[in-house]
Amino acid sequence: MQSFTYERAASAEQAAAAVAAQPDAKFISGGTNLLDLMKLEIERPAHLVDISRLPLDRIEETAAGGLRVGAQVRNSDLAADPRVRSRYPMLTQALLAGASGQIRNKASTSGNLLQRTRCPYFYDRNMPCNKREQGSGCAALQGFNRTHAVLGASEACIAVHPSDMAVAMAGLDARIETISPGGETRTIPIGDLHRLPEATPHVETVLGHGEMIAAVTLPPPPPGRQVYRKVRDRASYAFALVSVAAIVEKSGDRIRSARIAMGGVAARPWRATEAERTLAGAVASDGAFTDAAEAALAGAVGHGGNDFKIPLAKRTMRHTLAAAVESA
């Protein structure tokens, strides 16, 4: 492991300024992803700024009727909160589908959003990876790519974002509150937080160096039934091959509105807006769910080993929508 210096921040403003002051500095909270990357010398920060003890660990009601989740709220606490369980059940479902109980006890809300891909070539320093070393190439394109992206990928990178929580938050239209080194704040829709790889896969978010996530705001719970479904290789402690977060509101036998987000298929939580438009006003039926799934995956491209993910994603979406409608 490379040597590094360490400090514990006394405030969010101090933390942001401390990271901004050094080009190789990083925030650390639970460390459930960063420490592994440091052990493998994939991440080599010269300075760590500990934000785990900042007073950002509360879940608070908002004036609009939503919830404001502090950046340091642990995943297990967020999943267990009675307000989240009753008003945002698919967020609880997504959190409990991720990682293990021990990791959820350490992982923070902001760290979950900013975790890095689990592409095996990203973790193997002997293989080319544009995320790890810009311009070196993407070994996954012609290699083992069973778990990789079928939407939004590029010739530079086909890695996927691993978070379950972020998929549910994308379906809920969460907003990310940040603080910059100068004390400035801004709010970012979650759909704009993560970047697609294009030619710069090493740039994964729109956050500037030293810009820190302070909270995530959930709007008032939308009408309709919420369902999160995750398909993976084993029943626990496995990342999604495909996941779907769906909220369906019915009026009689027709669908009034739908929100759908997908995980395991792209470099960011993928909002299936074409599927949502297809469902609006349609009669709730297997045919409508099939049309929505076809619309969502219309631009999907497989890379050999992950071709199966396209029909798998369609089936998962159909079953998730059917489950949401049955209980709506």
Side-chain angles (χ1 to χ4, degrees):
M1 182 179 289
Q2 302 292 316
S3 61
F4 58 88
T5 54
Y6 167 92
E7 70 174 286
R8 182 177 295 163
S11 68
E13 293 81 3
Q14 179 188 334
V19 170
Q22 298 192 44
D24 295 325
K26 294 277 187 181
F27 299 111
I28 185 168
S29 180
T32 56
N33 186 208
L34 178 59
L35 292 179
D36 286 343
L37 294 172
M38 289 174 65
K39 291 174 185 177
L40 295 170
E41 297 188 7
I42 294 166
E43 291 276 15
R44 289 176 279 185
H47 185 63
L48 290 179
V49 179
D50 188 343
I51 58 175
S52 65
R53 303 195 186 188
L54 294 179
L56 301 173
D57 58 353
R58 292 187 292 273
I59 303 173
E60 302 168 311
E61 298 280 351
T62 67
L67 291 177
R68 184 178 186 271
V69 181
Q72 295 307 307
V73 172
R74 302 300 167 187
N75 288 181
S76 54
D77 293 334
L78 182 59
D81 188 279
R83 295 165 294 183
V84 176
R85 292 173 66 89
S86 64
R87 291 151 59 180
Y88 307 97
M90 77 179 184
L91 179 54
T92 290
Q93 294 165 16
L95 285 160
L96 294 178
S100 65
Q102 295 90 335
I103 290 176
R104 291 194 296 269
N105 286 340
K106 286 293 292 180
S108 66
T109 299
S110 58
N112 189 314
L113 289 171
L114 299 178
Q115 64 182 297
R116 305 199 69 185
T117 185
R118 297 317 196 275
C119 172
Y121 298 108
F122 175 68
Y123 279 77
D124 186 348
R125 295 178 62 209
N126 295 311
M127 301 299 291
C129 172
N130 287 317
K131 274 188 180 294
R132 186 171 19 83
E133 185 180 347
Q134 186 181 11
S136 64
C138 176
L141 282 169
Q142 302 300 323
F144 179 79
N145 52 38
R146 182 173 180 273
T147 62
H148 288 68
V150 295
L151 291 168
S154 73
E155 289 299 308
C157 182
I158 58 172
V160 299
H161 193 271
S163 175
D164 290 289
M165 182 194 78
V167 178
M169 286 186 169
L172 292 166
D173 286 333
R175 300 180 71 82
I176 314 301
E177 300 176 22
T178 71
I179 184 165
S180 295
E184 302 89 355
T185 61
R186 66 168 171 159
T187 301
I188 305 167
I190 192 168
D192 295 337
L193 176 64
H194 300 99
R195 292 169 49 122
L196 292 177
E198 298 179 339
T200 55
H202 63 293
V203 183
E204 297 177 356
T205 73
V206 298
L207 301 180
H209 183 61
E211 187 174 9
M212 190 185 84
I213 294 177
V216 176
T217 300
L218 301 174
R225 166 75 170 174
Q226 302 178 24
V227 177
Y228 182 79
R229 177 166 294 191
K230 178 178 181 177
V231 179
R232 47 189 163 174
D233 284 325
R234 57 180 185 265
S236 66
Y237 200 56
F239 295 100
L241 292 170
V242 171
S243 64
V244 176
I247 308 172
V248 179
E249 180 191 10
K250 282 180 64 182
S251 178
D253 64 347
R254 293 190 175 272
I255 297 171
R256 177 174 291 176
S257 65
R259 298 189 194 180
I260 307 168
M262 304 177 70
V265 297
R268 67 184 183 200
W270 190 267
R271 188 68 178 263
T273 53
E274 291 298 327
E276 294 172 1
R277 284 193 283 268
T278 299
L279 287 172
V283 174
S285 64
D286 290 341
F289 306 151
T290 297
D291 290 344
E294 292 293 335
L297 278 299
V301 177
H303 301 277
N306 67 346
D307 291 350
F308 76 98
K309 291 181 80 170
I310 299 173
L312 177 63
K314 294 176 182 179
R315 291 196 302 271
T316 304
M317 182 175 292
R318 290 200 305 268
H319 287 298
T320 306
L321 291 170
V325 166
E326 287 171 6
S327 304

